[in-house]
Short mmCIF file of all heavy atoms in Angstrom, two decimals:
data_model
loop_
_atom_site.label_atom_id
_atom_site.label_comp_id
_atom_site.label_asym_id
_atom_site.label_seq_id
_atom_site.Cartn_x
_atom_site.Cartn_y
_atom_site.Cartn_z
N THR A 258 -33.63 -55.26 -65.75
CA THR A 258 -33.91 -54.80 -67.11
C THR A 258 -32.76 -55.19 -68.01
O THR A 258 -31.70 -55.64 -67.55
CB THR A 258 -34.09 -53.28 -67.14
OG1 THR A 258 -32.82 -52.66 -66.82
CG2 THR A 258 -35.15 -52.81 -66.16
N SER A 259 -32.95 -55.02 -69.31
CA SER A 259 -31.87 -55.32 -70.24
C SER A 259 -30.64 -54.47 -69.92
O SER A 259 -29.50 -54.95 -70.03
CB SER A 259 -32.33 -55.07 -71.68
OG SER A 259 -32.82 -53.74 -71.84
N ARG A 260 -30.86 -53.24 -69.51
CA ARG A 260 -29.72 -52.37 -69.20
C ARG A 260 -28.99 -52.82 -67.94
O ARG A 260 -27.75 -52.86 -67.92
CB ARG A 260 -30.20 -50.93 -69.08
CG ARG A 260 -29.09 -49.95 -68.73
CD ARG A 260 -29.54 -48.52 -68.90
NE ARG A 260 -28.49 -47.58 -68.52
CZ ARG A 260 -28.54 -46.27 -68.74
NH1 ARG A 260 -29.61 -45.74 -69.33
NH2 ARG A 260 -27.54 -45.49 -68.37
N THR A 261 -29.73 -53.16 -66.91
CA THR A 261 -29.06 -53.59 -65.68
C THR A 261 -28.42 -54.96 -65.86
O THR A 261 -27.41 -55.27 -65.21
CB THR A 261 -30.03 -53.61 -64.49
OG1 THR A 261 -31.11 -54.52 -64.76
CG2 THR A 261 -30.58 -52.21 -64.22
N TRP A 262 -28.99 -55.81 -66.74
CA TRP A 262 -28.35 -57.09 -67.04
C TRP A 262 -26.99 -56.85 -67.69
O TRP A 262 -26.00 -57.50 -67.32
CB TRP A 262 -29.24 -57.92 -67.96
CG TRP A 262 -28.57 -59.18 -68.42
CD1 TRP A 262 -28.42 -60.33 -67.71
CD2 TRP A 262 -27.92 -59.40 -69.67
NE1 TRP A 262 -27.72 -61.26 -68.45
CE2 TRP A 262 -27.40 -60.70 -69.66
CE3 TRP A 262 -27.73 -58.61 -70.81
CZ2 TRP A 262 -26.71 -61.24 -70.74
CZ3 TRP A 262 -27.04 -59.13 -71.89
CH2 TRP A 262 -26.54 -60.44 -71.85
N GLU A 263 -26.94 -55.94 -68.63
CA GLU A 263 -25.64 -55.60 -69.23
C GLU A 263 -24.66 -55.10 -68.17
O GLU A 263 -23.50 -55.51 -68.14
CB GLU A 263 -25.81 -54.51 -70.30
CG GLU A 263 -26.33 -54.99 -71.63
CD GLU A 263 -26.16 -53.94 -72.72
OE1 GLU A 263 -25.84 -52.76 -72.40
OE2 GLU A 263 -26.33 -54.29 -73.89
N ARG A 264 -25.14 -54.25 -67.29
CA ARG A 264 -24.27 -53.65 -66.27
C ARG A 264 -23.77 -54.68 -65.27
O ARG A 264 -22.58 -54.72 -64.93
CB ARG A 264 -25.03 -52.55 -65.54
CG ARG A 264 -24.23 -51.80 -64.48
CD ARG A 264 -25.16 -50.97 -63.61
NE ARG A 264 -26.05 -51.83 -62.80
CZ ARG A 264 -27.16 -51.39 -62.20
NH1 ARG A 264 -27.53 -50.13 -62.33
NH2 ARG A 264 -27.90 -52.23 -61.50
N ASP A 265 -24.68 -55.55 -64.79
CA ASP A 265 -24.36 -56.42 -63.65
C ASP A 265 -23.84 -57.80 -64.04
O ASP A 265 -23.18 -58.46 -63.22
CB ASP A 265 -25.61 -56.60 -62.78
CG ASP A 265 -26.10 -55.28 -62.19
OD1 ASP A 265 -25.27 -54.35 -62.07
OD2 ASP A 265 -27.30 -55.18 -61.88
N LEU A 266 -24.12 -58.25 -65.27
CA LEU A 266 -23.71 -59.59 -65.67
C LEU A 266 -22.84 -59.61 -66.93
O LEU A 266 -21.80 -60.28 -66.95
CB LEU A 266 -24.94 -60.48 -65.87
CG LEU A 266 -25.71 -60.81 -64.59
CD1 LEU A 266 -27.02 -61.51 -64.92
CD2 LEU A 266 -24.88 -61.68 -63.66
N LEU A 267 -23.26 -58.90 -67.98
CA LEU A 267 -22.51 -58.96 -69.23
C LEU A 267 -21.17 -58.24 -69.12
O LEU A 267 -20.13 -58.81 -69.48
CB LEU A 267 -23.34 -58.37 -70.38
CG LEU A 267 -22.67 -58.40 -71.75
CD1 LEU A 267 -22.36 -59.83 -72.17
CD2 LEU A 267 -23.57 -57.72 -72.79
N TRP A 268 -21.18 -57.00 -68.62
CA TRP A 268 -19.92 -56.25 -68.56
C TRP A 268 -18.90 -56.92 -67.62
O TRP A 268 -17.72 -57.03 -67.98
CB TRP A 268 -20.16 -54.80 -68.17
CG TRP A 268 -18.88 -54.03 -68.09
CD1 TRP A 268 -18.27 -53.52 -66.99
CD2 TRP A 268 -18.00 -53.74 -69.18
NE1 TRP A 268 -17.08 -52.91 -67.31
CE2 TRP A 268 -16.89 -53.04 -68.65
CE3 TRP A 268 -18.02 -54.01 -70.55
CZ2 TRP A 268 -15.84 -52.60 -69.45
CZ3 TRP A 268 -16.97 -53.58 -71.34
CH2 TRP A 268 -15.89 -52.88 -70.79
N PRO A 269 -19.30 -57.40 -66.45
CA PRO A 269 -18.32 -58.11 -65.61
C PRO A 269 -17.71 -59.33 -66.32
O PRO A 269 -16.53 -59.65 -66.10
CB PRO A 269 -19.13 -58.52 -64.38
CG PRO A 269 -20.18 -57.46 -64.28
CD PRO A 269 -20.56 -57.17 -65.70
N PHE A 270 -18.50 -60.01 -67.14
CA PHE A 270 -17.97 -61.13 -67.92
C PHE A 270 -16.87 -60.64 -68.86
O PHE A 270 -15.81 -61.29 -68.99
CB PHE A 270 -19.10 -61.80 -68.71
CG PHE A 270 -18.62 -62.73 -69.80
CD1 PHE A 270 -18.12 -63.99 -69.49
CD2 PHE A 270 -18.70 -62.35 -71.14
CE1 PHE A 270 -17.69 -64.85 -70.49
CE2 PHE A 270 -18.27 -63.20 -72.14
CZ PHE A 270 -17.77 -64.46 -71.82
N TYR A 271 -17.09 -59.50 -69.52
CA TYR A 271 -16.07 -58.97 -70.43
C TYR A 271 -14.81 -58.54 -69.68
O TYR A 271 -13.69 -58.71 -70.18
CB TYR A 271 -16.63 -57.80 -71.23
CG TYR A 271 -17.63 -58.20 -72.29
CD1 TYR A 271 -18.74 -57.40 -72.56
CD2 TYR A 271 -17.47 -59.37 -73.01
CE1 TYR A 271 -19.66 -57.76 -73.54
CE2 TYR A 271 -18.39 -59.75 -73.97
CZ TYR A 271 -19.48 -58.94 -74.24
OH TYR A 271 -20.38 -59.31 -75.20
N VAL A 272 -14.97 -58.00 -68.49
CA VAL A 272 -13.80 -57.64 -67.69
C VAL A 272 -13.00 -58.89 -67.34
O VAL A 272 -11.76 -58.90 -67.39
CB VAL A 272 -14.24 -56.88 -66.42
CG1 VAL A 272 -13.05 -56.67 -65.48
CG2 VAL A 272 -14.86 -55.54 -66.79
N ARG A 273 -13.70 -59.97 -67.00
CA ARG A 273 -13.02 -61.23 -66.70
C ARG A 273 -12.34 -61.79 -67.96
O ARG A 273 -11.22 -62.32 -67.88
CB ARG A 273 -14.02 -62.25 -66.15
CG ARG A 273 -14.67 -61.87 -64.82
CD ARG A 273 -15.62 -62.96 -64.35
NE ARG A 273 -14.90 -64.14 -63.90
CZ ARG A 273 -15.45 -65.33 -63.74
NH1 ARG A 273 -16.75 -65.52 -64.02
NH2 ARG A 273 -14.74 -66.36 -63.32
N PHE A 274 -13.00 -61.66 -69.10
CA PHE A 274 -12.39 -62.14 -70.34
C PHE A 274 -11.15 -61.33 -70.68
O PHE A 274 -10.14 -61.87 -71.13
CB PHE A 274 -13.40 -62.08 -71.49
CG PHE A 274 -12.98 -62.84 -72.71
CD1 PHE A 274 -13.39 -64.15 -72.91
CD2 PHE A 274 -12.15 -62.26 -73.67
CE1 PHE A 274 -13.00 -64.87 -74.03
CE2 PHE A 274 -11.75 -62.97 -74.80
CZ PHE A 274 -12.17 -64.28 -74.98
N ARG A 275 -11.23 -60.02 -70.45
CA ARG A 275 -10.08 -59.15 -70.69
C ARG A 275 -8.88 -59.62 -69.86
O ARG A 275 -7.74 -59.66 -70.36
CB ARG A 275 -10.47 -57.72 -70.32
CG ARG A 275 -9.36 -56.68 -70.32
CD ARG A 275 -8.93 -56.26 -71.70
NE ARG A 275 -7.80 -57.04 -72.17
CZ ARG A 275 -7.25 -56.91 -73.38
NH1 ARG A 275 -7.78 -56.04 -74.23
NH2 ARG A 275 -6.23 -57.63 -73.74
N ALA A 276 -9.12 -60.00 -68.63
CA ALA A 276 -8.03 -60.48 -67.77
C ALA A 276 -7.45 -61.79 -68.32
O ALA A 276 -6.23 -62.01 -68.25
CB ALA A 276 -8.54 -60.68 -66.35
#
Side-chain angles (χ1 to χ4, degrees):
T258 66
S259 55
R260 178 168 178 170
T261 60
W262 174 79
E263 281 194 348
R264 182 193 67 197
D265 298 336
L266 291 172
L267 181 60
W268 180 248
F270 166 75
Y271 288 143
V272 172
R273 297 181 72 197
F274 194 94
R275 172 75 266 177

